[in-house]
Amino acid sequence: MDNKGSSQKGSLLLLLLLVSNLLLCKSVASLPICPSGAVNCQVSLRDLFDRAVILSHYIHNLSSEMFNEFDKRYAQGRGFITKAINSCHTSSLSTPEDKEQAQQVHHEVLLSMILGVLRSWNDPLYHLVTEVRGMQEAPDAILSRAIEIEEQNKRLLEGMEKIVGQVHPGVKENEVYSVWSGLPSLQMADEDTRLFAFYNLLHCLRRDSHKIDSYLKLLKCRIIYDSNC
Amino acid sequence: MIHFLWKEKGANMKENVASTVVFILLLFLNTNLLNGQSPPGKPEIFKCRSPEKETFTCWWKPGADGGLPTNYTLTYHKEGETFTHECPDYKTGGPNSCYFNKKHTSIWTIYIITVNATNQMGSSSSDPRYVDVTYIVEPDPPVNLTLELKQPEDRKPYLWIKWFPPTLVDVRSGWLTLQYEIRLKPEKAAEWETHFAGQQTQFKILSLYPGQKYLVQVHCKPDHGFWSEWSPESSIPIPNDFSMTDATVWIFVAVLSAVICLIMVWAVALKGYSMVTCILPPVPGPKIKGFDTHLLEKGKSEELLSALGCQDFPPTSDCEDLLVEFLEVDDSGDQQLMPAHSKEHPGQGVKPTHSDPDSDSGRGSCDSPSLLSEKCDEPRANPSKFHTPEGLEKAEKPETNVTQPQGPQSTSVEGKIPSFHVSGSQSSTWPLLQPPGLHYSRSSYHSVADVCKLGLGTAGAASTLLDKTDTRALKPSQTIETGGEGKAAEHGESESFHSKTDQDAARLLPQDKTPLTSAKHLEYVEIHKVSKDGALALLPKQNENSGRAEKTSTPETSKEYSKVSRVMDSNILVLVQDRRAQNLAPFEEPAKEAPPPLPQNPAAVDLASFPAAPSNCRLQLGGLDYLHPTGFMHPFQ
């Protein structure tokens, strides 16, 4: 009798353990992409990602062109590159530095990192536009691209927030971003200092836009196409 | 002495040794200089490249080696670090290269790389090179390029090109996105034909020249990097019968359409005219009674015109006035013409006017479908507008001897006018044809060549219709009976209708009109009024010299030829008196769409206010239309 009872208890316990294990496994291993109940979630998430990738690709192209234009015009022979080492304000945000690291980061974390970088650039982009306008012989190629990048960056931010809302709904994220303090340098009277400040800003923008583009493409292939792009 | 010698020898030996040593040293130096050994020259890093954004390689170019074996080392440090590293792999990338594997590669980081050359004599360093792996991505060419000729049953044949991305590039995870471009050419061609293939790894070529061997290559580009090298060539021969079916079908279609075109052209050529007439029935030209083609041919314009009652040719300037004056028909019995504001033509004499007892002075009734399209119950124009044709004729009498009773002629003309109208006249260009005014219009229009033509034309057409006994004639007024007086007048008048134009001249009344049986003498009749039921009330012409006057009472002695008895010879109206026609119902205003204003002729304003009659109005004379001078005038101004 006792044996039977204890064996029954044991089997029940075992059953409980199994069930709880299963539940736990489920909850840890696969977080649902779409919140339960959202019927059209998957399709619209694909659209959101497609649009985000297009925007990030476009922004990086513009940044690259803008940097090359500035480099050609103002930075020849000044050796700015030697000074633009470790000078980006977003380096405080710890972001993955290669493919392996990026693939090991969970997509929600990666999304918040992207958001952090995007938010960090709101202020600098705004001032970039203002200051480029104030440059003597403000080159239209640079100014027009700066304006466009500022615009598209806002749209990308909105899109990313929507994606986060779908992928990671309900979680209140801390809005972590880096503060930019390079405005005084942009307004310096000394031409060399000012030009270097611009160079540095454009250099960091080119890099960060490439980072965001790479992360987004990774995420898109991972989430939408299940790593089978 | 010997001691002294020994001492000298010793000194000499010392000197010898010293100089030898010096000599040897100098020799040594010389030989060294002759060899050219020196510290190494400055090397230069000329290329760094990453094939997949995960590793990268840098190559340098050595400087002068100074004639001695030189050792090269590559050192670098990363952005944000102070620690200097040495190249982890000098072998993988080939000679004078350094390969950074995945472990040693960080993206979005600047590497500051330097190459040092060292030899026995010294060393030198290259300029530091700042490298960010992000911007040096250049993949390998795509691999496994395969070509396949596909000829499906129901579609055009094509060349199917397939390839794979380079092996090192990780496309599946999205780390790199590749875009491809293929190029192909026939073996012996000089230029490549390039096609952009996007992100797909296959491509179909549809347009190929058969019987040639094609060479194909492909290369790729990452999303923010450089184009790779072209892959090795793949070749494929295209068989001769490739895509021939395409051409045969097109040839067949072309031949068939050519044959059809030829047939159509031939049919048109043979029966062109009848087809054209079928599609576009000819517009009957206007006919003018009394128009004599022979006269026209003979070139006797004066006779021609005078026969038609036209004053003179070329036109004079005040034709409009004549027009206005002589188009008014007044059936009140007043023989006077009542031109509105037209000046008196010197040669015209007094223009008789007729007042309309019932204020319905002989304007054409509104039954013509084409001419009289407006309401016919609009207030009539100033009845004084109407002049009897007779009056008009009379005015021109000096030159003509053709003033004739308008009635029969006009009636006949009138009878046909609507149908004539129907046949082809535009309302705006064919103003109301007034039977009484017809002559006048013609007469007065003679001074304006076109207008005259028109007037004559209308009459001519009417007579043509008459000639043809056109069934389109509206009213039973086809049968026109004429009184005795009318006949001859009509006959004579017919001669006056020779149009000076060539509008169906041949169809006008022949010269030798058969006089009406009962025609005895010429008598001028003026149209008294046109009654509702198509009866023409004619009066003997009286008082032609009455000046412009308002309507006067109907003369008591008027005989009314208000009934058409028959049509003779298809161009002569036979009118008879109609006793009962005393109380002709007033006819309604002829319907006519509002003619365009005539700024040049204010006198015609009243006429211009002619309303058009709806179709339910009746023509007074079975289709009588009034010729509106303003309408006439306008197109020709």
Side-chain angles (χ1 to χ4, degrees):
Chain A
M1 288 299 195
D2 268 7
N3 276 347
K4 258 196 188 168
S6 62
S7 67
Q8 271 182 353
K9 276 185 196 162
S11 58
L12 262 175
L13 206 61
L14 202 60
L15 202 62
L16 260 173
L17 268 171
L18 273 169
V19 169
S20 64
N21 271 346
L22 281 168
L23 283 171
L24 279 170
C25 284
K26 193 163 180 244
S27 68
V28 166
S30 61
L31 285 162
I33 296 295
C34 301
S36 55
V39 176
N40 293 331
C41 176
Q42 197 64 32
V43 174
S44 70
L45 192 66
R46 173 185 298 224
D47 284 344
L48 284 173
F49 263 108
D50 282 342
R51 264 182 243 151
V53 162
I54 288 169
L55 275 176
S56 66
H57 187 99
Y58 181 49
I59 289 170
H60 176 67
N61 277 343
L62 288 172
S63 310
S64 208
E65 287 166 8
M66 195 163 63
F67 175 83
N68 289 333
E69 189 72 30
F70 183 90
D71 191 29
K72 196 170 66 177
R73 246 182 205 259
Y74 297 98
Q76 289 303 309
R78 291 179 191 257
F80 284 152
I81 186 66
T82 60
K83 293 190 277 182
I85 303 293
N86 207 26
S87 55
C88 292
H89 67 288
T90 49
S91 51
S92 61
L93 303 167
S94 62
T95 50
E97 291 291 300
D98 62 24
K99 186 179 95 170
E100 279 74 21
Q101 286 179 27
Q103 281 179 329
Q104 278 160 19
V105 176
H106 202 271
H107 53 259
E108 286 140 5
V109 178
L110 200 54
L111 279 170
S112 61
M113 281 175 184
I114 295 170
L115 276 172
V117 174
L118 283 172
R119 286 194 191 107
S120 306
W121 276 100
N122 273 336
D123 193 42
L125 281 173
Y126 170 79
H127 288 291
L128 177 68
V129 170
T130 320
E131 296 306 318
V132 166
R133 272 211 189 101
M135 271 170 85
Q136 88 241 42
E137 322 161 3
D140 188 60
I142 295 173
L143 179 62
S144 58
R145 287 184 172 95
I147 293 168
E148 183 73 2
I149 291 171
E150 195 206 350
E151 165 79 27
Q152 300 301 334
N153 199 62
K154 287 191 189 129
R155 290 177 58 193
L156 182 57
L157 195 54
E158 287 169 16
M160 289 311 302
E161 279 164 358
K162 283 200 188 109
I163 289 174
V164 169
Q166 279 205 14
V167 170
H168 204 190
V171 174
K172 177 106 181 13
E173 53 164 314
N174 341 331
E175 296 196 356
V176 177
Y177 67 97
S178 305
V179 177
W180 179 66
S181 54
L183 183 58
S185 312
L186 275 185
Q187 294 167 328
M188 290 283 265
D190 175 38
E191 191 198 356
D192 205 52
T193 318
R194 199 178 70 245
L195 283 177
F196 171 70
F198 274 112
Y199 179 91
N200 193 48
L201 192 62
L202 294 178
H203 158 82
C204 293
L205 178 62
R206 177 167 80 141
R207 167 186 290 177
D208 284 344
S209 57
H210 190 275
K211 234 186 228 183
I212 291 166
D213 189 42
S214 297
Y215 294 160
L216 268 175
K217 283 170 179 166
L218 270 180
L219 276 176
K220 177 181 133 180
C221 282
R222 199 200 292 180
I223 293 175
I224 308 292
Y225 296 97
D226 200 21
S227 298
N228 194 18
C229 269
Chain B
M1 186 87 133
I2 295 165
H3 178 71
F4 187 67
L5 278 169
W6 187 256
K7 265 196 185 166
E8 274 186 19
K9 257 194 186 166
N12 279 349
M13 274 177 69
K14 273 185 193 162
E15 280 176 16
N16 280 348
V17 166
S19 60
T20 317
V21 165
V22 166
F23 180 68
I24 290 168
L25 270 171
L26 280 169
L27 206 61
F28 188 70
L29 271 169
N30 274 345
T31 48
N32 271 354
L33 285 167
L34 282 170
N35 281 344
Q37 287 179 349
S38 62
K42 201 159 129 182
E44 182 200 346
I45 303 169
F46 68 94
K47 186 175 177 180
C48 289
R49 172 182 168 260
S50 167
E52 77 289 76
K53 211 163 85 177
E54 295 172 50
T55 68
F56 73 106
T57 311
C58 282
W59 292 268
W60 66 84
K61 200 161 49 178
D65 65 349
L68 293 164
T70 314
N71 200 10
Y72 293 95
T73 56
L74 187 143
T75 54
Y76 68 92
H77 69 272
K78 282 176 13 179
E79 176 183 1
E81 288 177 2
T82 47
F83 195 61
T84 305
H85 312 265
E86 198 185 333
C87 171
D89 185 338
Y90 286 103
K91 303 278 190 248
T92 310
N96 296 327
S97 73
C98 178
Y99 171 74
F100 296 81
N101 61 10
K102 286 186 191 179
K103 215 154 52 101
H104 292 96
T105 307
S106 301
I107 319 295
W108 307 299
T109 312
I110 294 180
Y111 282 68
I112 298 109
I113 303 172
T114 321
V115 171
N116 304 306
T118 318
N119 70 1
Q120 230 169 3
M121 300 291 296
S123 65
S124 62
S125 293
S126 67
D127 291 331
R129 186 167 169 111
Y130 294 82
V131 175
D132 191 333
V133 180
T134 320
Y135 312 119
I136 57 165
V137 182
E138 184 192 327
D140 293 327
V143 296
N144 287 0
L145 178 61
T146 58
L147 305 173
E148 196 180 332
L149 268 177
K150 298 274 238 183
Q151 282 170 313
E153 301 279 328
D154 54 345
R155 280 163 42 199
K156 290 191 235 175
Y158 58 91
L159 173 65
W160 196 22
I161 306 172
K162 280 187 296 181
W163 60 88
F164 285 92
T167 45
L168 293 173
V169 173
D170 183 4
V171 188
R172 290 173 68 115
S173 70
W175 185 240
L176 272 185
T177 310
L178 290 177
Q179 291 179 319
Y180 303 95
E181 212 176 51
I182 62 141
R183 68 178 188 182
L184 70 154
K185 66 166 184 172
E187 192 176 17
K188 301 198 176 67
E191 298 284 323
W192 289 92
E193 182 189 325
T194 312
H195 298 277
F196 183 72
Q199 293 177 21
Q200 58 194 19
T201 55
Q202 52 155 359
F203 203 78
K204 292 184 182 124
I205 302 281
L206 295 166
S207 60
L208 290 162
Y209 294 113
Q212 301 205 30
K213 186 166 142 200
Y214 269 84
L215 305 171
V216 181
Q217 284 182 312
V218 61
H219 71 168
C220 59
K221 175 187 179 294
D223 38 355
H224 299 291
F226 302 98
W227 282 102
S228 72
E229 298 288 330
W230 287 102
S231 68
E233 282 176 5
S234 276
S235 66
I236 184 164
I238 311 290
N240 273 320
D241 62 345
F242 195 75
S243 75
M244 284 299 280
T245 54
D246 225 9
T248 49
V249 167
W250 283 114
I251 288 166
F252 179 70
V253 167
V255 166
L256 196 66
S257 46
V259 165
I260 290 169
C261 281
L262 278 171
I263 291 171
M264 281 172 61
V265 165
W266 173 73
V268 166
L270 281 186
K271 304 199 180 164
Y273 183 68
S274 55
M275 277 169 61
V276 166
T277 48
C278 195
I279 296 166
L280 306 166
V283 176
K287 295 270 185 192
I288 300 173
K289 274 198 186 179
F291 186 70
D292 190 1
T293 41
H294 300 303
L295 271 183
L296 182 70
E297 282 161 11
K298 285 184 208 157
K300 293 182 184 169
S301 60
E302 268 77 31
E303 287 175 5
L304 203 67
L305 296 177
S306 55
L308 292 167
C310 290
Q311 190 83 16
D312 55 81
F313 183 82
T316 56
S317 60
D318 47 36
C319 182
E320 297 89 344
D321 302 336
L322 295 176
L323 220 64
V324 173
E325 292 172 7
F326 300 129
L327 281 177
E328 296 180 0
V329 168
D330 190 345
D331 62 352
S332 63
D334 184 356
Q335 307 296 321
Q336 296 174 341
L337 287 173
M338 290 172 58
H341 307 294
S342 53
K343 65 180 197 291
E344 195 163 344
H345 194 282
Q348 301 305 316
V350 175
K351 302 164 190 59
T353 61
H354 295 267
S355 59
D356 190 358
D358 50 355
S359 78
D360 185 13
S361 58
R363 289 173 207 102
S365 64
C366 41
D367 207 40
S368 166
S370 58
L371 275 185
L372 318 172
S373 54
E374 267 117 55
K375 341 184 256 293
C376 58
D377 54 355
E378 285 207 14
R380 302 185 192 95
N382 189 345
S384 66
K385 292 301 166 188
F386 283 102
H387 302 266
T388 59
E390 173 138 3
L392 191 67
E393 283 239 324
K394 218 193 277 215
E396 297 159 4
K397 191 172 179 337
E399 291 83 56
T400 74
N401 57 354
V402 296
T403 50
Q404 327 229 311
Q406 307 299 326
Q409 187 78 29
S410 306
T411 310
S412 68
V413 172
E414 289 156 10
K416 291 298 179 178
I417 287 172
S419 47
F420 160 76
H421 256 278
V422 167
S423 69
S425 60
Q426 300 298 319
S427 340
S428 59
T429 52
W430 290 105
L432 303 176
L433 294 174
Q434 294 180 350
L438 190 61
H439 298 277
Y440 292 119
S441 56
R442 261 177 275 132
S443 324
S444 57
Y445 291 151
H446 75 275
S447 58
V448 177
D450 284 348
V451 171
C452 228
K453 244 187 283 189
L454 197 64
L456 300 175
T458 53
S463 58
T464 305
L465 293 167
L466 207 59
D467 288 342
K468 293 203 252 186
T469 62
D470 196 338
T471 54
R472 290 179 292 175
L474 284 179
K475 299 299 182 284
S477 57
Q478 306 252 347
T479 58
I480 299 171
E481 296 180 29
T482 180
E485 296 88 347
K487 272 282 196 170
E490 187 210 50
H491 170 63
E493 182 173 20
S494 67
E495 301 183 71
S496 77
F497 281 84
H498 291 249
S499 171
K500 63 187 175 184
T501 70
D502 55 352
Q503 295 198 28
D504 297 319
R507 297 159 131 215
L508 290 176
L509 300 172
Q511 280 282 37
D512 52 344
K513 318 269 185 296
T514 311
L516 302 172
T517 51
S518 53
K520 297 293 178 284
H521 57 275
L522 287 178
E523 183 175 357
Y524 298 113
V525 267
E526 54 189 358
I527 295 181
H528 175 54
K529 64 182 172 189
V530 180
S531 69
K532 218 179 218 154
D533 51 0
L536 186 69
L538 300 173
L539 300 172
K541 187 170 167 194
Q542 297 177 13
N543 199 5
E544 58 201 63
N545 292 326
S546 60
R548 299 161 182 259
E550 309 311 309
K551 308 178 193 181
T552 58
S553 56
T554 309
E556 301 74 13
T557 57
S558 64
K559 299 184 214 169
E560 284 195 354
Y561 292 92
S562 57
K563 187 172 160 195
V564 176
S565 77
R566 65 178 182 283
V567 178
M568 280 188 52
D569 286 338
S570 73
N571 57 9
I572 298 174
L573 278 173
V574 178
L575 293 174
V576 297
Q577 290 185 1
D578 188 356
R579 306 287 174 223
R580 65 153 183 87
Q582 295 299 331
N583 297 326
L584 293 173
F587 50 79
E588 289 156 342
E589 299 262 321
K592 176 187 183 306
E593 66 286 339
L598 282 183
Q600 71 279 8
N601 195 357
V605 166
D606 291 336
L607 286 171
S609 67
F610 260 42
S615 55
N616 57 2
C617 290
R618 292 216 189 180
L619 274 178
Q620 301 290 330
L621 291 175
L624 176 66
D625 290 331
Y626 287 101
L627 198 63
H628 194 295
T630 60
F632 262 135
M633 302 301 291
H634 183 72
F636 303 105
Q637 305 281 319

